[in-house]
Amino acid sequence: MKTIIEPFRIKSVEPIRMTTRAERLECLRDAGYNVFLLRAQDVLIDLLTDSGTSAMSAEQWAAIMRGDEAYAGSPSFYRLEARVKELFGFKHLIPTHQGRAAERILFSTVCRPGDVVPNNTHFDTTRANVEAVGAKAVDLPVPESQRRQDPLPFKGNMDVGALRGLIAEVGVERIPICMITITNNSGGGQPVSLANVREVSAVCHEHGIPFYIDACRFAENAYLIKLNEAGQSERSVEEIAREVFSYADGCTFSAKKDGLANIGGFVATNDDRLAEQERELLILTEGFPTYGGLAGRDLEAIAVGLQEVVHEDYLHYRLASVRYLGDHLTAAGVPIVQPPGGHAVYLDAAAFLPHVPPLELPGQSLAAELYLEGGVRGVEIGTVMFGRRDPETGEDLPGPMELVRLAIPRRVYTQSHVDYVVEVITDVYHRRESIGGFRMTRQAEVLRHFTAWFEPLYAFGT
Ligand code: P70
């Protein structure tokens, strides 16, 4: 088999500014050791997120020029609506500025204080938006998701038995909605199988519970279904995606991921009454229902992105490039969540730094060390992001896993960039025994990881 190449040429380039280790040490100190607080120009390879960081195609830029900025009834909205209806199949499209706005509009419309919302695993903003309306966000991942080094194909699935148990325990009247996140971002970027979506949908509908999908990475999920689920290999990704959505009553979507756009999102639903309530709230906080806080040109970029993202040459390259990073790290002995996810490789910080206990934030140490070593920026998905301070005792509780995610922006980096990342991580791995923990010196009440400040508990950078 020949090398899987990037199925595009590069027409416009952005320079990367080289930095020295001494400069990076200074930058980290100024940022309170939080990689979110670094200036992007001080980062060499930015794997903080795959969200809003895609390179757009020539067709998307052309569509941007076609963007119609009418306040109401823009043809750009109708072009997006047509593509969303064709691919997602939902009756109502309500555009928003990004995914979390879609979440806020959905949850504040359907949830009441004391309600319970199950999900395979809530991502950070999803959990925060459920909690912000006084409801409880419950994660129901399959037990295999905990076997981090075991390369099973659908570790993103929801535990259907646990869902039935939750419904029996709290009662249907307290569960206004059930969601499934594809792919499962907090659990290692692992996909959800078609069979699991079908089964979760059936359980929800048996109890009259609306079933929604957090569709951020639906195309990567559909391609992984095509590759790894029995009976799916001959179907097109578009067909598989349509079937996935056919089981749901609606979805939230951040177009910054598989929309291949730099901004945007939407909430979609088949429920007329809910759509009406959501549009009222949209007008109050986001904008008129045919633009929802976006410019007409953004709607165009998403409409074209939703065509391109299901191209199988693109997905073949996309999944191969993530796997390339994962396989090279594995060959170097670096512990990662197996198999590599759809959009990212997750370093297993607990196995990388087994001598650093969870409350000394091993993922934070690793993220800081990767930046110091080679200007590579990943993100901690561990106790900083998902740990909690017990409201009654004030005690710090660890998160469910200690990971550092290396998210690959779509169509942005080449193979030699990835080779460089492997070298940086391998060098840090070789000196892992000299790496210690961190403590948090400042934190916000919600979503603390974005703005917290830290202090090393060891001689960092020496
Ligand atoms: C990411 C970003 C966003 C997201 C998501 C899922 C499954 C909803 C949203 C919200 C967030 C992030 C995390 C760390 C660093 C930078 C950014 N995920 N559901 O990278 O969508 O961002 O458009 O409001 O993954 O995974 P939005």
Side-chain angles (χ1 to χ4, degrees):
M1 207 172 89
K2 298 204 171 56
T3 303
I4 299 164
I5 61 167
E6 287 83 359
F8 49 80
R9 295 177 300 181
I10 297 167
K11 169 139 65 182
S12 176
V13 297
E14 289 180 288
I16 292 175
R17 197 176 75 85
M18 298 298 167
T19 51
T20 63
R21 191 174 206 273
E23 282 170 336
R24 293 193 293 269
L25 185 55
E26 178 116 1
C27 293
L28 265 179
R29 285 195 183 128
D30 291 346
Y33 298 93
N34 184 343
V35 295
F36 277 106
L37 303 180
L38 291 167
R39 289 172 184 240
Q41 64 173 24
D42 298 328
V43 176
L44 259 76
I45 306 284
D46 203 348
L47 309 182
L48 181 71
T49 178
D50 63 320
S51 180
T53 51
S54 300
M56 286 206 292
S57 67
E59 283 306 314
Q60 283 178 295
W61 286 108
I64 276 181
M65 287 307 294
R66 235 183 355 253
D68 182 302
E69 304 303 341
Y71 188 96
S74 160
S76 302
F77 170 77
Y78 292 107
R79 274 194 279 274
L80 175 62
E81 188 189 43
R83 180 58 182 146
V84 171
K85 280 204 170 140
E86 178 179 53
L87 179 60
F88 292 64
F90 300 118
K91 195 165 162 198
H92 301 280
L93 163 69
I94 298 165
T96 59
H97 77 274
Q98 61 183 80
R100 66 198 71 180
E103 291 164 359
R104 192 186 66 85
I105 288 194
L106 175 64
F107 296 129
S108 55
T109 311
V110 302
C111 293
R112 297 286 160 268
D115 282 349
V116 175
V117 179
N119 198 316
N120 47 348
T121 315
H122 291 82
F123 200 59
D124 59 348
T125 57
T126 325
R127 169 170 288 277
N129 273 296
V130 169
E131 290 173 352
V133 295
K136 191 172 164 202
V138 177
D139 293 341
L140 303 174
V142 284
E144 301 90 278
S145 64
Q146 293 300 319
R147 283 158 42 193
R148 294 193 292 279
Q149 326 265 317
D150 209 344
L152 299 167
F154 293 107
K155 295 201 298 191
N157 283 353
M158 179 182 273
D159 185 333
V160 181
L163 175 63
R164 284 191 182 280
L166 182 78
I167 297 171
E169 184 194 322
V170 306
V172 282
E173 58 294 335
R174 281 183 59 209
I175 308 181
I177 188 168
C178 169
M179 273 191 113
I180 209 162
T181 305
I182 60 175
T183 54
N184 190 345
N185 192 13
S186 356
Q190 302 296 317
V192 174
S193 70
L194 190 56
N196 190 247
V197 173
R198 198 185 293 128
E199 225 182 321
V200 170
S201 161
V203 172
C204 289
H205 291 148
E206 188 186 308
H207 293 89
I209 300 170
F211 171 57
Y212 277 64
I213 292 178
D214 177 336
C216 288
R217 299 177 179 88
F218 74 94
E220 289 161 6
N221 198 85
Y223 193 66
L224 288 163
I225 288 175
K226 178 177 169 113
L227 291 184
N228 298 323
E229 192 160 347
Q232 303 300 321
S233 62
E234 298 304 313
R235 301 178 72 196
S236 72
V237 167
E238 173 128 3
E239 222 179 315
I240 295 171
R242 278 204 203 121
E243 185 178 343
V244 166
F245 291 125
S246 75
Y247 298 119
D249 300 295
C251 76
T252 55
F253 182 61
S254 166
K256 300 173 74 174
K257 287 88 175 171
D258 273 347
L260 294 175
N262 301 124
I263 197 70
F266 56 77
V267 52
T269 181
N270 288 331
D271 182 331
D272 298 342
R273 171 95 188 91
L274 180 64
E276 201 179 304
Q277 292 171 325
E278 288 177 340
R279 287 197 180 103
E280 281 170 21
L281 186 55
L282 191 83
I283 292 177
L284 186 66
T285 60
E286 293 275 316
F288 191 74
T290 57
Y291 75 88
L294 295 169
R297 54 179 167 268
D298 301 322
L299 303 171
E300 294 278 355
I302 302 166
V304 177
L306 288 176
Q307 299 278 358
E308 295 178 354
V309 79
V310 294
H311 286 180
E312 301 197 12
D313 286 347
Y314 158 74
L315 285 166
H316 186 53
Y317 137 79
R318 168 79 177 150
L319 274 294
S321 63
V322 176
R323 198 168 53 236
Y324 179 90
L325 173 59
D327 289 351
H328 280 74
L329 288 172
T330 305
V334 175
I336 66 165
V337 175
Q338 297 286 3
H343 65 299
V345 169
Y346 292 65
L347 301 176
D348 183 345
F352 198 115
L353 300 173
H355 52 283
V356 180
L359 293 178
E360 291 184 11
L361 315 175
Q364 162 60 27
S365 296
L366 189 48
E369 290 284 354
L370 298 185
Y371 176 74
L372 177 69
E373 182 70 36
V376 174
R377 175 158 70 168
V379 69
E380 192 258 18
I381 298 197
T383 292
V384 180
M385 191 181 278
F386 287 111
R388 281 282 180 278
R389 186 159 279 179
D390 190 305
E392 272 143 43
T393 63
E395 187 196 353
D396 278 317
L397 307 170
M401 291 195 218
E402 300 300 332
L403 307 174
V404 172
R405 185 187 71 176
L406 308 166
I408 315 288
R410 294 169 181 79
R411 309 191 287 207
V412 169
Y413 289 116
T414 63
Q415 188 165 326
S416 59
H417 290 121
V418 176
D419 288 335
Y420 171 82
V421 171
V422 173
E423 288 162 16
V424 168
I425 296 171
T426 309
D427 285 350
V428 175
Y429 189 60
H430 287 149
R431 57 178 179 80
R432 63 189 179 281
E433 275 158 24
S434 66
I435 297 172
F438 269 78
R439 69 181 194 94
M440 226 178 286
T441 54
R442 258 196 239 169
Q443 59 175 293
E445 279 296 310
V446 278
L447 296 169
R448 63 183 183 182
H449 48 290
F450 288 117
T451 52
W453 279 57
F454 302 91
E455 205 172 72
L457 299 169
Y458 64 108
F460 182 85
T462 53

